[in-house]
Amino acid sequence: MTETPLVHLNQVVLAFAGKPVLNGVELKIFPQDRLVILGQSGGGKSTMLRLILGILKPSGGEIKYKHLRVSRLSRSKLNLLRSRIGMVYQYSALISSLNVRANLALPVRELGRKSESDIDKLVEEKLAMVGMSGTEDKMPSELSGGMRKRVSLARALMLDPELVLFDEPSAGLDPVMSSVIDELIINLTEKTNTTSVIVTHEMDSAFRIATRMAMLYQGSIIQEGKPEDFKSSDHPVVRQFVTGEVEGPMTESLPDADNT
Amino acid sequence: MASNRLDSFPARPNKYGLLYRIGFLTRNALVNLGSIIWLLLNTAEEMADNVRRGRLPFRPSALFVQTDRTAVGSVPLVLMVSFFLGLTMALLTGYQLEKFGVERLIPSLIAIAFTRELGPLITGIVLAARIGAAFTAELGTMQVAEEVEAIEAMGIGPLRFLVAPRLVAIVGAMPCLSVCSVIAALIGSCLISWVTLNIVPAFFFDSVLSSLLVNDIVIGFFKAAFFGLVIGLIACFKGLTVQGGAEGVGRATTGSVVIAITSVIGFDSLFNVIVTQYTK
Ligand SMILES: Nc1ncnc2c1ncn2[C@@H]1O[C@H](COP(=O)(O)OP(=O)(O)OP(=O)(O)O)[C@@H](O)[C@H]1O
Ligand SMILES: [Mg+2]
């Protein structure tokens, strides 16, 4: 692994109001990876994605994007960097006062220099990619949760980003749509050389997508490597997570978590 | 943990002492004032960033939308409030001045009071309630639904995208609405003076024109624009800093209206004290 990483989380520490969430996370994301991040609910996975985007600043360690230190960038440089990263939010985060077309057009209108007719074409193209053609004039409130998710995915792809962060892309989707999204994520890296980071709880789709996996547990990465390594992991926590058993170190530590 | 906190409760009575509270409130006020100035500077910086890249600071259509609701939408309410206020003022002062036989002073009194003072003030109060509340509620709801963060994550500066058009709209709208307010008040007072005091409209407007100084008009204009800035900044600040879901949005909206109206009245008094000191 002499390749330079696209993103490097270097001993990242983050605490919310004194409560540590990330505790020295060390993770490298390489170009064209499809990195799946596993971890418990409330374990800090969404927080990690926010750190990569520079929305949260680490209290220790640093995050590098290529050679740039994310937390030290000026505002305009940071905005430029963010426009090269697509983010699919866990709860979609579509602008509720804009219809689907305007939501998708937003990043291009604000940051690009395309004409309105080109934008319209692009909107149609990206909506077709996520199987949502014909919904251009709907408001987000008229869509189901899963449909919103897909629109949000289309929005993240509008500027043809080099890195896409997916926060639970297939949560709330039916199995067929979930496979469609998985397929889309795989195509994205294979056809356009995009790198993706996917946070997910669904082990089937995790193993279908991943070229690499990382497991976040109690604030740090406890295992990182190929999907096969995860299937045959000796680490009790990883094994419990992958097989979804009730008995194991994760459930034993639950009462502990309540006390703190 | 919780019981520990309860145990130490009576051990810190100072927290409720007068001095502590004054200090606490002052510090809070200063922190908020600092944050609001920070908001203004950062909005300006984000706009400048865009200009440096050869783009407009925000899309004109965003400004049209905001101006339409802020200015055009507020015209009826401003007109109505000012009309009746002017009418009442003329009526009340008329009865007093009539005793001394100087009711012909009413036109100049109303004209000066409204251009310099009541026009911007009434408009400010109306806009704080009507538009400031709306700004806070909208931005607050967007903040709670992670929409503001999503905009930030796309690399679109949320301040120039959300705050700037609203600020520009309200700063532009205030002087115009203030003019509407003055005109409505003059019409209201003119009508009531004609009916109750037999002052004919021709005389009324003649003495309005002869009593008004350019100075009064300019002062009123700037005051109105400044109030607009104050209301807009407070409303946007309150909206973007909402915490605690739907209830938080409600609390922020109430807070925004209360603080904006208080600040407008406060700045107005300060302004008057300073201006009368230096323009005597
Ligand atoms: N803005 C915030 N202020 C305070 N605490 C926060 C904030 N955001 C997240 N946290 C805390 O940080 C921890 C991690 O949150 P995060 O959203 O990253 O979890 P997650 O791994 O994405 O969980 P899930 O799988 O349920 O989405 C949680 O304990 C949460 O309470
Ligand atoms: Mg999450």
Side-chain angles (χ1 to χ4, degrees), chain B:
Chain B
M1 195 80 176
S3 62
N4 277 347
R5 215 174 284 144
L6 278 183
D7 290 343
S8 63
F9 199 72
R12 285 183 289 170
N14 267 350
K15 190 163 184 175
Y16 303 93
L18 184 64
L19 216 58
Y20 181 93
R21 293 206 41 149
I22 292 175
F24 181 78
L25 288 178
T26 313
R27 184 171 157 270
N28 242 6
L30 286 179
V31 167
N32 280 326
L33 184 66
S35 310
I36 284 176
I37 292 171
W38 180 95
L39 175 67
L40 178 63
L41 294 180
N42 278 267
T43 307
E45 198 193 320
E46 276 189 11
M47 284 162 68
D49 261 359
N50 242 32
V51 174
R52 241 177 276 137
R53 245 180 269 159
R55 308 180 64 102
L56 290 173
F58 41 77
R59 295 192 321 127
S61 65
L63 181 62
F64 292 149
V65 171
Q66 295 303 334
T67 307
D68 183 47
R69 62 196 284 232
T70 308
V72 182
S74 302
V75 169
L77 187 60
V78 168
L79 288 183
M80 196 182 73
V81 172
S82 308
F83 178 87
F84 286 112
L85 201 76
L87 187 147
T88 313
M89 234 177 102
L91 199 63
L92 289 178
T93 46
Y95 284 134
Q96 305 296 316
L97 296 179
E98 215 177 3
K99 288 184 199 149
F100 306 99
V102 287
E103 64 271 23
R104 67 194 143 72
L105 289 181
I106 287 177
S108 54
L109 194 140
I110 301 279
I112 292 174
F114 265 86
T115 44
R116 264 181 82 139
E117 195 51 44
L118 293 174
L121 195 65
I122 298 299
T123 317
I125 291 172
V126 168
L127 283 209
R130 210 184 99 87
I131 304 300
F135 284 179
T136 308
E138 280 167 13
L139 296 185
T141 311
M142 292 184 76
Q143 169 70 32
V144 168
E146 285 189 330
E147 291 175 31
V148 176
E149 192 191 305
I151 290 171
E152 197 182 346
M154 285 187 252
I156 303 169
L159 298 183
R160 73 153 179 85
F161 180 69
L162 295 171
V163 175
R166 288 179 167 81
L167 277 188
V168 173
I170 198 169
V171 170
M174 276 290 297
C176 305
L177 288 171
S178 171
V179 169
C180 295
S181 156
V182 174
I183 292 170
L186 287 176
I187 293 173
S189 52
C190 172
L191 288 181
I192 202 76
S193 311
W194 193 15
V195 173
T196 62
L197 302 167
N198 269 327
I199 301 177
V200 290
F203 170 78
F204 191 97
F205 283 106
D206 256 1
S207 59
V208 165
L209 286 182
S210 62
S211 63
L212 269 186
L213 299 175
V214 175
N215 219 352
D216 295 324
I217 298 174
V218 172
I219 287 177
F221 217 75
F222 277 106
K223 238 159 88 167
F226 180 70
F227 291 169
L229 186 66
V230 169
I231 297 166
L233 278 175
I234 291 173
C236 293
F237 174 73
K238 279 298 212 179
L240 290 177
T241 53
V242 161
Q243 274 171 344
E247 200 193 320
V249 175
R251 232 180 302 126
T253 308
T254 313
S256 155
V257 174
V258 171
I259 297 173
I261 291 180
T262 321
S263 309
V264 163
I265 295 175
F267 275 118
D268 190 50
S269 313
L270 193 70
F271 221 85
N272 284 336
V273 171
I274 295 171
V275 167
T276 43
Q277 282 291 318
Y278 290 99
T279 57
K280 253 187 282 196

Side-chain angles (χ1 to χ4, degrees), chain A residues 46 90 167-168:
Chain A
S46 304
Q90 190 168 2
D167 202 346
E168 309 202 3

Side-chain angles (χ1 to χ4, degrees), chain A residues 16 19 21 40-47 50 90 168 201:
Chain A
F16 283 117
K19 186 177 146 270
V21 175
Q40 284 168 299
S41 189
K45 302 179 298 304
S46 304
T47 305
R50 289 197 170 101
Q90 190 168 2
E168 309 202 3
H201 290 301

